[in-house]
Amino acid sequence: EGHENEVKSVAWAPSGSLLATCSRDKSVWVWEGEESPGGGTGRAQWLSQPLPALLCPAVDEEEEYECVSVLNAHTQDVKHVVWHPSQELLASASYDDTVRLYREEEDDWVCCATLEGHESTVWAVAFEKGGERLASVSDDRTLRIWRCYNPGNQEGVACSGSDPTWKCVCTLSGYHSRTIYDVSWCHLTGALATACGDDAIRVFEESPTCSTTRRSMAVSPSCRLTLHCSASVLRTSVEAEPSRRNRPRVSFSRHMSLMALAVFPVSFLE
């Protein structure tokens, strides 16, 4: 307990010892599992127990976790939190139209970067497998890809001192007709999936020939896209974007549809 309003999202750090939470009270909290007398955190002990014990763990709720930092960088509701896949770097998405990144410095957590560009609420964020890029989705109906540039990078992107810089390298627009509520980056295939208020799920794949410069896409007859389709999973079928509806429609069985096994390649427009 501690938040003063609805808690919207929770996420474990890669180490399993830190837990991040965010709330409508505009704050992000970082919690740490206390060391148990036998060594290790309570969560590690849960994982070592047989299934029956996991169903009803004997945990001291008053002593298991303590809040190590309260972050008030956002000015509005915080919708989502996610950890870097291999580092203790935390990202949050907010109603204030921004994404913020946090890291620990001198025994305290600080906001180390603010990603601005979305024109409305950012609902969710997701790191790619290597953690060098971050995807964000918004009420402005766009999906943005942000990339981390370290000092001395080959692209010549300016950095402040020894701190890395995050830049938007791609904006996908025109595919979603309503708010995009969630995004997931597959760590096996590299595909991106989005959940949208227009009742569709779309899956995007990056072309291996794409350059790393800033890119933007829009579904329009005048667009010259190498392959301009996204997979839209609607009930038991996959429907192409308007510019490709003259192609045969692909139908899946109900089982296949529920598993959402639909991945269509998309090449970014320079």
Side-chain angles (χ1 to χ4, degrees), residues 88-148:
E88 289 188 346
L89 177 69
L90 179 65
S92 62
S94 172
Y95 189 74
D96 65 10
D97 309 347
T98 69
V99 174
R100 296 182 188 264
L101 302 177
Y102 313 88
R103 68 184 179 199
E104 189 175 19
E105 290 185 0
E106 299 179 355
D107 297 326
D108 196 11
W109 285 81
V110 298
C111 178
C112 59
T114 299
L115 311 186
E116 298 178 305
H118 281 294
E119 298 176 358
S120 191
T121 303
V122 184
W123 281 96
V125 286
F127 280 101
E128 69 169 345
K129 180 180 180 179
E132 294 183 356
R133 293 186 297 180
L134 178 73
S136 61
V137 292
S138 169
D139 189 54
D140 65 11
R141 308 175 188 179
T142 68
L143 182 154
R144 286 176 176 259
I145 308 295
W146 310 82
R147 182 180 173 185
C148 179

Side-chain angles (χ1 to χ4, degrees), residues 15-66:
S15 65
S17 62
L18 296 175
L19 182 70
T21 60
C22 66
S23 167
R24 287 190 65 185
D25 64 12
K26 309 176 186 178
S27 69
V28 173
W29 290 41
V30 179
W31 307 78
E32 185 173 28
E34 296 181 356
E35 292 291 330
S36 62
T41 64
R43 180 171 181 259
Q45 289 184 330
W46 297 355
L47 295 177
S48 65
Q49 296 179 44
L51 182 58
L54 287 174
L55 297 178
C56 187
V59 179
D60 187 337
E61 296 180 356
E62 296 298 324
E63 299 177 357
E64 186 62 25
Y65 293 94
E66 65 173 349

Side-chain angles (χ1 to χ4, degrees), residues 189-257:
T189 66
L192 273 168
T194 59
C196 186
D198 60 10
D199 306 338
I201 302 154
R202 293 177 175 82
V203 182
F204 302 90
E205 251 187 7
E206 181 179 10
S207 168
T209 59
C210 287
S211 72
T212 57
T213 56
R214 185 180 179 89
R215 295 159 293 203
S216 179
M217 294 185 69
V219 177
S220 167
S222 62
C223 286
R224 295 183 298 166
L225 301 179
T226 304
L227 187 56
H228 52 248
C229 72
S230 67
S232 298
V233 184
L234 297 166
R235 297 183 179 87
T236 59
S237 67
V238 174
E239 182 176 320
E241 291 298 326
S243 59
R244 298 183 64 84
R245 284 180 179 169
N246 57 333
R247 299 293 183 89
R249 180 165 175 157
V250 181
S251 294
F252 288 144
S253 67
R254 177 174 176 78
H255 174 70
M256 292 291 286
S257 175

